[in-house]
Amino acid sequence: MKHYYYVKHAFRIQTEILDGPATLVVGLPFEFPSVLPLFFDAQRQFGFVPHVEDSGFICFTRNENLVIDERYPGKVVLDCLEKVIGILEMGQLEANNQDFLEEFEVYWQRSDACYREAHVLFDEENNTIREIDLYLMSLDGVTYFVCEKSFNPDHYIQSVFKEETKNVTKRRCLFIPLREGTFIKPSQVHQKWTFKELKELVYSNITSEDRKKLVQLIQRNPKSNTRYDYVLFGLPINQEKNALFGMVIHYEEGMIKSKKTKVQLHPLIQTPVKIEVFPFAVTRHHKDFLLARTGADSSFVGKHAIVIGVGAIGSVVAMGLAKSGFGTITLIDHDRIDIENVYRHVLGADLLYNRDTPNELNRYKKVEALKIEIERKYPLTKVIAIDKKFNTVLEMETIDWDKADIIIVCMGSPNAEMAINRHFHQLSQSPPLIHAWVEPFGVGGHVLLTLNQEKQGCYQCLFRPLSDEDSIENLSGFAQAGQSFTKSLGGCGTYFTPYSFLDSEETANQVLRTIHRLSRKQIKGNPIFSWKGDPTLFLNEGFKLSDRFHMTEEQLMKNSTLYYDPNCPVCSNKETPH
């Protein structure tokens, strides 16, 4: 029993695999039949085949979404046994050897000799042999950080590993992409490699062109040579991805010197007598790889978003843009974070004040604090914080607006947003523009997409009277026009519109979903998307709903572009002087 982990009961079964007898061990976990049984090739009858670990444990399914019928435990065991037999038969026939490559990194990490780890952040699409940088960090003995030479790692190392740069030592690392078709038996992974085996692996699995490049690189030894060298390999799994694994080369007595040139010769040119190699595992930090694991759209990595207004909605949008992978995010807002806002803002009380001035508390500007928070959590995202009003930013002419990929306005101030809307519609080229706002007491929120490859339909179109006798109102509103929703808890200067973080975050999520759909070209024209909440609190406060609130979700979507104003002074080319 002690040989089988997580098992309450174990028993042997006789079965037939490829017309031959076989004995397997079935282990029933403590939670069985709520969880699947475990299977072991305890006698190692099948050698080293895919999905069978050193312990003999057979990994036969990815069961995250498998529904188990607990009423029939015997059938559960038999169904799983059928899968196990299929895996072992394919392994014996070498029909699933490709799975060795798919799981190569897992085998490598589990090697007994692999006690070091490298956190890598480099361009995996660049499949050329080259020098990259390796930084030795004094974490858990020694931990490596590997990156391109063009990457400045200081901020990343401090943010992620909490390591001071003064404690980090820079070394050279060689990246060697092995050619397509290279196959390394996983059984080799669990054996201690010799340098001869490593050298043979390199020279027999790189192209002649890469061999020349490699010789050029290793003929020039860095001044910081300390009898250690580091190599990161790319093992092709398929045309789209590589397995990454690393080796440390340790030459105890240093390199051999050439008798003619008196230059030290790298071990890959002439091998010293005393030399050892040690494997190190790889953990990827590349943004594309991490986003792919979430199912996100990695096309945002090189894109630039601008958020104007980073209050309750805008702050959540900005953080969501970082999570989506946007490479650059510009934040524009002149306001400071207030204690009154922390329960519906993405920033908390810990970012209210800074102590840059001795013996004095200074309130952070929203954009400053949000920049700190985003770059702390997502250090590969560049955040530009502009603590100015939008009009001031325009006068400064510091932003090339048409170079942005999306602009999101979350100010909640109709007059200011109409001026912003007008500015971008006057540009000859403008990126798509999104306006987002929320209604009081959880009634709902709205996201308006404009300048989506056409100008007809804009924020200004929403604001007009329904008749000559009516005053101007927002046609998208779920609240009947003419009502006042502001409240005060402490007299003048403390007025606010009541809504919760649930409302602002729901609206922000609608913004982010719109951006994702827009990137996939799933939205035509300039629609308005509205979500409806529970009106109970709103009605209990004595307020009245508009006719639009009573539309169904289907009707709201069907009518999402009916707000267009054919006489709009902004988007219909009939603009009047201002």
Side-chain angles (χ1 to χ4, degrees):
M1 294 288 294
K2 64 181 180 180
H3 300 295
Y4 311 116
Y5 41 83
Y6 308 124
V7 167
K8 184 178 182 180
H9 302 289
F11 54 90
R12 290 184 177 88
I13 59 171
Q14 297 289 328
T15 186
E16 195 173 87
I17 296 178
L18 291 178
D19 299 326
T23 301
L24 299 176
V25 172
V26 182
L28 302 182
F30 288 88
E31 300 86 354
F32 180 82
S34 298
V35 298
L36 295 177
L38 307 177
F39 289 81
F40 299 85
D41 174 17
Q43 300 175 7
R44 299 315 305 261
Q45 304 151 91
F46 302 97
F48 202 89
V49 296
H51 309 294
V52 179
E53 298 183 3
D54 285 346
S55 64
F57 172 72
I58 304 167
C59 179
F60 63 90
T61 185
R62 296 180 176 90
N63 61 0
E64 292 88 347
N65 299 314
L66 185 64
V67 179
I68 303 171
D69 192 341
E70 299 181 25
R71 298 172 298 170
Y72 307 105
K75 187 175 186 303
V76 171
V77 173
L78 292 175
D79 287 347
C80 293
L81 175 61
E82 187 177 343
K83 294 179 183 295
V84 168
I85 291 173
I87 283 175
L88 294 175
E89 288 182 340
M90 289 183 69
Q92 289 295 286
L93 297 171
E94 297 187 352
N96 59 350
N97 273 355
Q98 178 67 21
D99 292 354
F100 274 143
L101 295 179
E102 291 284 352
E103 299 186 355
F104 185 86
E105 289 185 17
V106 176
Y107 287 114
W108 190 263
Q109 290 168 0
R110 292 179 180 174
S111 168
D112 294 336
C114 194
Y115 60 92
R116 290 186 175 92
E117 182 180 17
H119 300 265
V120 301
L121 175 56
F122 79 117
D123 184 4
E124 291 190 47
E125 293 183 2
N126 181 356
N127 213 30
T128 59
I129 191 167
R130 63 192 185 278
E131 285 187 0
I132 52 181
D133 288 334
L134 180 144
Y135 295 84
L136 305 174
M137 301 184 292
S138 58
L139 301 168
D140 299 324
V142 177
T143 302
Y144 309 142
F145 179 73
V146 181
C147 62
E148 296 286 354
K149 299 182 78 64
S150 58
F151 183 74
N152 183 350
D154 292 354
H155 170 66
Y156 196 84
I157 289 175
Q158 289 175 355
S159 297
V160 176
F161 304 105
K162 309 300 185 291
E163 181 75 297
E164 296 294 331
T165 51
K166 63 182 180 181
N167 299 328
V168 174
T169 304
K170 181 179 178 181
R171 291 286 182 260
R172 176 182 74 172
C173 181
L174 297 173
F175 174 63
I176 301 179
L178 304 176
R179 64 184 168 192
E180 193 173 342
T182 301
F183 184 78
I184 303 174
K185 292 182 179 179
S187 56
Q188 290 179 265
V189 170
H190 295 278
Q191 301 169 358
K192 183 171 174 57
W193 283 35
T194 65
F195 182 76
K196 181 181 178 181
E197 290 173 326
L198 177 65
K199 191 172 181 178
E200 184 179 345
L201 168 73
V202 171
Y203 284 123
S204 60
N205 291 292
I206 59 175
T207 63
S208 56
E209 184 180 348
D210 276 352
R211 184 187 291 242
K212 292 177 183 177
K213 289 181 181 177
L214 177 60
V215 171
Q216 290 174 352
L217 290 174
I218 59 182
Q219 281 179 338
R220 182 184 59 80
N221 291 308
K223 295 179 180 179
S224 61
N225 183 280
T226 57
R227 300 186 180 183
Y228 285 91
D229 227 329
Y230 306 88
V231 185
L232 183 66
F233 292 97
L235 174 64
I237 297 174
N238 53 42
Q239 292 182 342
E240 296 181 354
K241 58 182 179 179
N242 290 334
L244 297 179
F245 65 100
M247 279 287 194
V248 181
I249 305 172
H250 177 211
Y251 23 97
E252 296 180 26
E253 298 177 354
M255 298 181 184
I256 295 175
K257 281 190 177 181
S258 166
K259 293 180 180 180
K260 291 183 179 180
T261 61
K262 305 300 181 183
V263 173
Q264 289 183 321
L265 301 175
H266 192 278
L268 288 172
I269 297 177
Q270 188 165 343
T271 307
V273 176
K274 292 186 177 181
I275 188 166
E276 290 183 294
V277 291
F278 306 96
F280 63 83
V282 166
T283 297
R284 287 176 169 86
H285 286 241
H286 197 275
K287 189 186 283 188
D288 283 345
F289 172 79
L290 299 177
L291 288 169
R293 289 181 59 85
T294 69
D297 188 345
S298 61
S299 67
F300 291 135
V301 170
K303 292 190 175 180
H304 179 194
I306 299 176
V307 185
I308 304 172
V310 292
I313 300 174
S315 63
V316 179
V317 168
M319 191 64 72
L321 292 170
K323 290 181 181 180
S324 298
F326 271 80
T328 305
I329 303 171
T330 295
L331 310 174
I332 301 174
D333 196 319
H334 72 288
D335 206 0
R336 298 181 185 274
I337 182 71
D338 288 321
I339 186 64
E340 292 93 341
N341 293 329
V342 296
Y343 284 101
R344 65 182 188 188
H345 201 280
V346 79
L347 299 173
D350 61 323
L351 284 170
L352 279 172
Y353 304 106
N354 67 53
R355 294 293 298 275
D356 290 343
T357 306
N359 305 318
E360 185 178 341
L361 282 178
N362 300 295
R363 273 197 302 149
Y364 272 117
K365 292 288 184 71
K366 288 179 180 177
V367 292
E368 296 171 341
L370 195 52
K371 173 183 170 70
I372 292 170
E373 186 72 354
I374 292 175
E375 292 186 341
R376 179 181 70 83
K377 290 183 174 180
Y378 309 102
L380 294 179
T381 301
K382 179 182 178 182
V383 180
I384 302 169
I386 304 178
D387 60 343
K388 308 289 183 186
K389 291 184 177 181
F390 178 76
N391 287 342
T392 305
V393 175
L394 285 183
E395 293 170 1
M396 293 167 57
E397 296 184 347
T398 56
I399 297 179
D400 195 349
W401 301 102
D402 59 1
K403 294 293 176 62
D405 295 286
I406 189 78
I407 298 173
I408 307 103
V409 185
C410 308
M411 299 178 68
S413 175
N415 291 321
E417 293 199 34
M418 278 191 259
I420 293 172
N421 172 74
R422 188 182 311 116
H423 169 78
F424 286 107
H425 273 77
Q426 288 173 340
L427 297 179
S428 58
Q429 288 185 324
S430 173
L433 179 67
I434 290 177
H435 296 262
W437 63 99
V438 68
E439 297 212 33
F441 295 107
V443 171
H446 311 277
V447 175
L448 174 66
L449 171 63
T450 68
L451 291 170
N452 179 26
Q453 299 183 338
E454 63 180 57
K455 290 200 171 185
Q456 185 182 15
C458 72
Y459 187 75
Q460 181 75 51
C461 291
L462 289 172
F463 293 87
R464 61 182 190 270
L466 293 177
S467 66
D468 293 338
E469 292 78 23
D470 294 332
S471 58
I472 293 176
E473 63 177 277
N474 186 338
L475 302 184
S476 68
F478 287 149
Q480 195 175 99
Q483 302 176 97
S484 176
F485 307 104
T486 56
K487 286 194 170 187
S488 171
L489 297 178
C492 293
T494 63
Y495 286 103
F496 65 97
T497 299
Y499 60 87
S500 79
F501 77 96
L502 294 172
D503 308 325
S504 54
E505 290 187 6
E506 178 65 28
T507 304
N509 284 333
Q510 292 288 338
V511 171
L512 295 166
R513 290 187 185 280
T514 299
I515 292 171
H516 280 255
R517 290 177 60 203
L518 184 64
S519 75
R520 303 184 195 111
K521 303 187 185 306
Q522 294 175 339
I523 304 177
K524 294 182 179 179
N526 298 320
I528 182 168
F529 303 111
S530 301
W531 65 270
K532 294 195 297 183
D534 184 350
T536 303
L537 182 58
F538 181 86
L539 295 173
N540 288 344
E541 290 285 330
F543 297 115
K544 296 179 180 180
L545 296 166
S546 70
D547 291 339
R548 189 168 184 267
F549 182 85
H550 298 291
M551 287 185 179
T552 65
E553 297 290 338
E554 184 179 354
Q555 287 173 324
L556 289 173
M557 285 300 300
K558 184 178 180 180
N559 298 331
S560 62
T561 58
L562 292 185
Y563 73 93
Y564 290 3
D565 180 3
N567 296 311
C568 175
V570 175
C571 66
S572 66
N573 296 321
K574 299 178 181 179
E575 183 163 10
T576 55
H578 292 274

